[in-house]
Amino acid sequence: MSTSESSRFVRLRVELVVEVDDSGALASSALRRIAEDEHMPAEERLHAEAAVKEDDAEALAHLVDPFDLVSGVPGVELSQASWSSEQIDYDPDSPDWDPDEDDDDDEDGAAGDVAAGGGGRL
């Protein structure tokens, strides 16, 4: 299939595990973001504020925006995005968390795990 015949759409999958070492700072930032959102209905705002105060994953979900990942990439426009966050039990020494697990070529032959900034492995 030539380039002109192939799809112009690319699915980019990113999975991150982050460590929250200051829940208060995270919640405060999320609450500021919610307060600044002029388009959020009052009922949704109340629900979001309560969720952010109780759950670090909810707070993080209000601060992470997939648009930010691609907004500065030339020639790319975000068509659709979805994301979620959840609290997990994480053990970096566990074989269940093998960072090389998904490095095999995917269907399109593209290998994964390149560090932000365009360089080495994570």
Side-chain angles (χ1 to χ4, degrees), residues 34 37-49:
I34 292 167
D37 187 345
E38 299 172 359
H39 303 291
M40 186 180 290
E43 185 175 320
E44 184 180 338
R45 183 181 313 276
L46 289 174
H47 175 72
E49 289 171 343

Side-chain angles (χ1 to χ4, degrees), residues 7-84:
S7 175
R8 299 178 340 175
F9 297 94
V10 175
R11 180 182 311 266
L12 174 65
R13 295 181 189 195
V14 177
E15 182 172 335
L16 305 169
V17 174
V18 300
E19 181 178 359
V20 176
D21 59 7
D22 189 342
S23 292
L26 178 62
S28 293
S29 293
L31 290 169
R32 273 193 303 277
R33 172 77 58 92
I34 292 167
E36 294 168 356
D37 187 345
E38 299 172 359
H39 303 291
M40 186 180 290
E43 185 175 320
E44 184 180 338
R45 183 181 313 276
L46 289 174
H47 175 72
E49 289 171 343
V52 159
K53 290 174 184 176
E54 294 179 17
D55 187 350
D56 288 341
E58 286 286 338
L60 189 60
H62 280 280
L63 294 169
V64 173
D65 184 350
F67 175 76
D68 293 341
L69 295 173
V70 296
S71 62
V73 178
V76 173
E77 181 179 334
L78 182 63
S79 296
Q80 179 181 350
S82 66
W83 68 105
S84 65

